[in-house]
Amino acid sequence: MSQLSHLECNRRRIISLLVSISLLLGCIPLAVLSNSQQAGSVTIAVSSLNVRDGAGQTHKVIAQVKGQENYPIVQMKDNWIQILLPNGQKGWVASWHVEINQPATPAAYVSPTIETLNIRAGPSTSFPVVGQMAKSESFPRLDAEGDWIKIRLKDGSIGWTAGWLTKEVPSPALIQPAPNPSSQAQATVKSATLNVRSGPGTHESAVGQVYAGDSLTILEQQGDWIRIQKDNLQGWVASWLVTMGSTPSPPSPSVESEKPTIRILNPGTNLRSGPGTSFDVVKIAKEGENYAVLGVEGDWFRIQTAPNQVGYVAGWIVSAQGVANVERKGNESLLKGRTILVDPGHGGSDSGAIGPHLGTLEKVVNLQVSHLLSRKLKAAGATVIMTREDDRKVSLQERVDSSIRRQVDAFISIHHNTSENYRVNGVITYFYSNGDDRELANSIQKEVVKRTGSTDLNARYGNYFVLRENPQLAVLCELGFLTNYQEEVIMKTKEFQEQAAEGVFQGIVKYFAQKK
Ligand SMILES: [Zn+2]
């Protein structure tokens, strides 16, 4: 009897527990939904991930989540994201182990970018044409499949059209008279190159690029993204890479694209009264500024710093347009008769690191810099061998073998780095042995840092196969971190690659100069 009532009691407890669980399950998704529309959600990208009670590795683990699971984002701090767990608890996960899903955007309208655009019955050109839309018309966008978007037609029926031939437009209900363009908010581009995207997020496709110092008209803002217009280019850019609200900056001293110009690559670049570092600084130039080139003196450019003012800037720290980069004197003979092996890391099925923000493949940027370096070495009289000249897989042993077979004077491996901490950035040159390897690494490290303006993480000992197993003089350059957003953006640019290659080149030259 007492047994029975005990069982009965237990059963009741279980039922009430089940009821509260179903209540929880029933109402939390509602809370989740409203939240996720605010800030988006994350998908766990590793098989299992610790959830902590604070934004950092040192905080206590309070739960674990599994790969492919989705959680709404509550807030973000540094590289950590606070998520909402199904039991209503909140906890922090490392952003580099998750994929961030953008919040669903409210119903958008689209207009064709061409005069007339076919509307089809399905999402490809193999479906029959069911109608046409004119450039002046706009339709609500309902869904997307690949590059195709689903729209609702005037009669309420559904159709599909080529997404790349449409642009997003404000809902007709929201259209207001266009403000006077001169009173529109402006933004100025901060980074060397900035992708303009079809939507507000780094996963959206790039539709064009704008450059440091460009002035953009702000059309609308959504979270950290702004929709901008620059001449005929319209799209979304990351607001943290522009200076907002500023009036358009005064035009740079030189604007005509036909005339030779140089572009300042590093913030706080000294412009001097003469062609050498012993001359006074007459102006400090900002990154992205352009100046007309009046002449070249040694390896310095004579430039127009103001309407009636002339100054000089060191040729190796700027990028030249419409004029050859400065000539270098005295270095040619140093590399004559030397064989340098340039080793672009990874290749083929081995992509190396992948930039988490823009999807940059390490093997691609490694090869781009390696080609630039190889060209500079050849121009300076060296015999250059590359372990790969295109996108193919080469084993580590093969790389070392060609170094030994050709008895090269130096083996230079080119890589780009990654870190779990997205804030880590900078250059590291690795050596395996003390002595010559270390000296070469120090020399390259110094020159790369000087030219790129990147953080100096110093030359370091590195136990890499291509260094350890290599009897020849060998170093491995890590030119920056693909996991750092700013560096990933900049490392894709021709300017950065040019300066990085120039730094490695100068480091090699200076090393051999002191060995002479
Ligand atoms: Zn690598």
Side-chain angles (χ1 to χ4, degrees), residues 188-198 204-216 225 228-238 241-242 263 358 360 365 368 485-497:
T188 309
V189 181
K190 278 198 294 196
S191 66
T193 325
L194 177 57
N195 281 328
V196 179
R197 298 182 179 277
S198 58
E204 301 283 352
S205 57
V207 295
Q209 287 190 321
V210 288
Y211 303 96
D214 280 355
S215 172
L216 315 172
W225 289 77
I228 58 96
Q229 174 147 22
K230 160 97 181 120
D231 305 325
N232 292 324
L233 179 64
Q234 259 196 27
W236 294 84
V237 298
L241 296 176
V242 301
R263 186 189 285 270
L358 308 173
T360 309
V365 281
Q368 287 168 336
Y485 182 68
Q486 295 281 359
E487 287 206 334
E488 189 185 358
V489 168
I490 210 162
M491 286 186 308
K492 288 168 77 93
T493 65
K494 188 91 204 298
E495 283 94 344
F496 178 90
Q497 294 180 352

Side-chain angles (χ1 to χ4, degrees), residues 8-53:
E8 184 63 21
C9 182
N10 266 351
R11 192 183 296 158
R12 260 192 215 138
R13 236 183 249 159
I14 289 166
I15 288 168
S16 85
L17 190 68
L18 283 175
V19 167
S20 40
I21 287 173
S22 59
L23 273 177
L24 269 172
L25 289 175
C27 46
I28 280 167
L30 283 177
V32 164
L33 200 67
S34 63
N35 228 319
S36 66
Q37 280 183 343
Q38 286 300 312
S41 64
V42 295
T43 304
I44 309 303
V46 289
S47 59
S48 128
L49 181 61
N50 287 332
V51 182
R52 296 174 185 272
D53 66 358

Side-chain angles (χ1 to χ4, degrees), residues 345-346 352-353 362 366 415-416 478:
H346 313 281
E362 189 199 342
N366 289 346
H415 287 255
H416 291 73
E478 295 279 7

Side-chain angles (χ1 to χ4, degrees), residues 138-452:
S138 67
F139 296 89
R141 185 182 65 188
L142 304 175
D143 200 358
E145 204 176 298
D147 291 336
W148 288 75
I149 55 173
K150 191 175 173 181
I151 54 172
R152 177 175 294 120
L153 307 179
K154 297 266 176 331
D155 62 1
S157 65
I158 302 294
W160 290 84
T161 193
W164 64 95
L165 296 176
T166 67
K167 61 170 198 251
E168 250 184 59
V169 292
S171 144
L174 297 174
I175 294 177
Q176 286 156 3
N180 178 353
S182 65
S183 68
Q184 270 184 286
Q186 300 283 326
T188 309
V189 181
K190 278 198 294 196
S191 66
T193 325
L194 177 57
N195 281 328
V196 179
R197 298 182 179 277
S198 58
T202 50
H203 62 285
E204 301 283 352
S205 57
V207 295
Q209 287 190 321
V210 288
Y211 303 96
D214 280 355
S215 172
L216 315 172
T217 302
I218 301 174
L219 302 175
E220 92 180 84
Q221 179 155 16
Q222 228 180 73
D224 278 342
W225 289 77
I226 51 172
R227 197 160 67 86
I228 58 96
Q229 174 147 22
K230 160 97 181 120
D231 305 325
N232 292 324
L233 179 64
Q234 259 196 27
W236 294 84
V237 298
S239 66
W240 62 92
L241 296 176
V242 301
T243 311
M244 303 268 282
S246 62
T247 49
S249 54
S252 295
S254 100
V255 278
E256 285 173 61
S257 55
E258 300 305 308
K259 291 188 180 155
T261 59
I262 55 102
R263 186 189 285 270
I264 303 294
L265 298 175
N266 301 306
T269 295
N270 290 330
L271 307 185
R272 296 179 181 272
S273 61
T277 49
S278 56
F279 288 91
D280 290 340
V281 174
V282 293
K283 183 179 173 182
I284 295 180
K286 292 195 196 86
E287 182 185 349
E289 284 180 345
N290 291 299
Y291 293 91
V293 174
L294 304 173
V296 181
E297 287 179 33
D299 46 11
W300 288 68
F301 284 114
R302 191 167 72 249
I303 56 173
Q304 189 97 51
T305 55
N308 290 313
Q309 236 185 321
V310 170
Y312 291 81
V313 67
W316 59 89
I317 56 169
V318 299
S319 133
Q321 283 111 30
V323 57
N325 271 302
V326 291
E327 295 259 324
R328 227 172 270 112
K329 295 186 297 289
N331 292 332
E332 285 77 1
S333 56
L334 278 170
L335 293 181
K336 238 174 215 139
R338 298 199 189 266
T339 305
I340 313 281
L341 180 47
V342 177
D343 174 46
H346 313 281
S349 58
D350 168 20
S351 67
I354 300 175
H357 304 96
L358 308 173
T360 309
L361 299 181
E362 189 199 342
K363 65 173 184 179
V364 172
V365 281
N366 289 346
L367 187 62
Q368 287 168 336
V369 174
S370 295
H371 276 305
L372 293 170
L373 172 61
S374 150
R375 233 168 282 152
K376 287 171 192 288
L377 290 165
K378 277 183 192 155
T383 303
V384 181
I385 313 163
M386 291 179 79
T387 51
R388 64 179 179 98
E389 293 196 40
D390 49 21
D391 184 18
R392 70 179 67 203
K393 189 162 182 176
V394 182
S395 75
L396 297 177
Q397 188 62 56
E398 283 174 80
R399 293 172 199 253
V400 172
D401 285 348
S402 30
S403 172
I404 298 169
R405 202 179 331 119
R406 297 294 296 262
Q407 291 288 295
V408 298
D409 293 297
F411 174 98
I412 314 288
S413 197
I414 301 292
H415 287 255
H416 291 73
N417 222 331
T418 56
S419 167
E420 283 218 336
N421 182 342
Y422 280 16
R423 273 175 300 184
V424 171
N425 62 86
V427 176
I428 305 173
T429 313
Y430 286 100
F431 56 88
Y432 183 74
S433 339
N434 274 321
D436 289 344
D437 285 5
R438 186 181 197 143
E439 269 179 57
L440 176 60
N442 277 329
S443 180
I444 290 177
Q445 175 73 17
K446 191 168 150 228
E447 297 300 320
V448 173
V449 166
K450 187 161 120 191
R451 281 172 177 78
T452 56

Side-chain angles (χ1 to χ4, degrees), residues 55 76-81 92 95-96 422-423:
M76 300 202 211
K77 197 170 136 193
D78 300 326
N79 290 314
W80 289 75
I81 299 176
W92 294 84
S95 66
W96 55 93
Y422 280 16
R423 273 175 300 184

